[in-house]
Amino acid sequence: PTAPVGKLALLRADGDMYGSTLAILEPLYPKVSPGGYVIIDDYDAVPACRQAVDDYRRAHGVTELMEPVPRGAVFWRKGV
């Protein structure tokens, strides 16, 4: 969370569990630039990961359509 990162074009999260997925999204998702991409590994493979992503998106009004990626991942492009 304290890394000196200003903006991200791509965020790829592989947290697996609920807490570790939120630990990635909470400090880093706000740094994803509009038009940037978010990839979540294990969204369809690990129920706790799915729940964390769904809870985060709901709490922060993230409504962009998620697209599937082979082997259980999803991605979306952050709105502009």
Side-chain angles (χ1 to χ4, degrees):
T2 61
V5 175
K7 295 185 185 248
L8 296 169
L10 174 68
L11 173 61
R12 182 167 188 170
D14 188 8
D16 295 334
M17 303 310 296
Y18 189 92
S20 54
T21 299
L22 283 182
I24 294 166
L25 290 173
E26 288 172 346
L28 296 177
Y29 185 76
K31 295 180 180 191
V32 176
S33 297
Y37 288 89
V38 178
I39 303 168
I40 307 290
D41 290 346
D42 301 319
Y43 180 84
D44 282 332
V46 180
C49 174
R50 175 191 288 263
Q51 188 64 54
V53 171
D54 292 348
D55 288 351
Y56 182 87
R57 287 172 51 97
R58 185 173 25 262
H60 296 280
V62 178
T63 59
E64 290 85 3
L65 179 66
M66 287 191 288
E67 299 286 339
V69 177
R71 297 163 52 143
V74 294
F75 81 92
W76 69 90
R77 185 173 184 204
K78 190 171 183 180
V80 291

